[in-house]
Amino acid sequence: MELVVARIGRAHGIKGEVTVEVRTDEPELRLAPGAVLRTEPASAGPLTIETGRVHSGRLLLRFEGVKDRTGAEALRNTLLIAEVDPAELPEEPDEYYDHQLMDLDVVLEDGTEIGRITEISHLPSQDLFIVERPDGSEVMIPFVEEIVAEIDLEEQRCVITPPPGLIDDGAATDEVDVERSVSSRDAEAEAAGDEAAGDDA
């Protein structure tokens, strides 16, 4: 099975390094020096990782044969693809590969359908499930223990316990109502102040 493990970003410095947007939970394994990766577009690769390091929270890679900034810039937006055994599982029991989570049905504890996982975004702070709703809209679900209650690969479903406002628009509506109430009170207070000022005059 082939999986996208990273997307190449901007060139860094003048010696051929590039920033990468990591799309795997195991960059130390998939993006280690010596790894040979297929690319999309195919004409850019295959690429062999020569060195890797973290700089200001970003992973920087240098590939064999890419020695300057011009060569690094030419790789921008290239996808890096690794060959992964479909039966391979992460070492930790509560960890999952992206391909295991893709297309899982997302439901509430009472069985209410929320949608289907169509993408996993790996951010520095946490991972996000991009979930497509039945109406075609999308919602982002943080992959954290407080929200994701269960991952059932056999049943192909993800059970979530979202906080108010994450799935529905109730919180946003409440905020608007509060703002309107505050505005109304301010207007009334201002009018009362004007009347008082008129009485003093």
Side-chain angles (χ1 to χ4, degrees):
M1 170 180 282
E2 293 186 330
L3 297 176
V4 175
V5 293
R7 182 179 68 85
I8 298 176
R10 298 179 179 179
H12 179 84
I14 59 174
K15 296 183 179 180
E17 284 187 312
V18 296
T19 62
V20 294
E21 174 192 320
V22 177
R23 296 188 179 180
T24 171
D25 288 333
E26 299 178 312
E28 69 283 351
L29 174 64
R30 308 298 177 196
L31 302 172
V36 180
L37 302 169
R38 196 172 71 76
T39 61
E40 180 61 46
S43 58
L47 293 173
T48 301
I49 297 176
E50 185 174 280
T51 64
R53 66 188 179 97
V54 176
H55 175 73
S56 298
R58 301 279 298 198
L59 179 62
L60 303 180
L61 297 180
R62 181 186 289 114
F63 301 101
E64 291 182 6
V66 180
K67 301 300 182 184
D68 55 27
R69 187 177 183 88
T70 300
E73 280 291 355
L75 295 174
R76 189 168 183 177
N77 292 325
T78 297
L79 297 178
L80 300 176
I81 302 168
E83 184 68 34
V84 178
D85 183 348
E88 182 181 340
L89 298 175
E91 294 182 0
E92 297 297 327
D94 292 332
E95 292 183 354
Y96 303 91
Y97 290 135
D98 284 7
H99 70 270
Q100 295 177 292
L101 301 172
M102 291 293 289
D103 291 325
L104 292 187
D105 292 324
V106 180
V107 299
L108 301 180
E109 288 186 306
D110 64 3
T112 301
E113 180 185 2
I114 300 302
R116 178 177 59 88
I117 298 175
T118 57
E119 183 181 345
I120 294 126
S121 179
H122 298 282
L123 304 180
S125 57
Q126 64 187 13
D127 294 338
L128 287 175
F129 292 157
I130 311 301
V131 177
E132 181 177 317
R133 306 292 301 272
D135 63 4
S137 62
E138 291 184 339
V139 61
M140 292 182 290
I141 308 294
F143 188 13
V144 294
E145 185 178 352
E146 295 81 5
I147 296 175
V148 178
E150 180 186 2
I151 298 288
D152 189 334
L153 296 181
E154 289 189 5
E155 295 294 331
Q156 285 290 289
R157 69 173 188 170
C158 168
V159 181
I160 63 172
T161 55
L166 183 63
I167 301 300
D168 55 55
D169 296 324
T173 303
D174 292 343
E175 290 173 3
V176 171
D177 290 341
V178 169
E179 289 175 359
R180 287 175 178 168
S181 298
V182 171
S183 299
S184 298
R185 286 198 300 270
D186 289 344
E188 291 171 1
E190 184 177 346
D194 289 342
E195 290 177 3
D199 292 341
D200 291 341

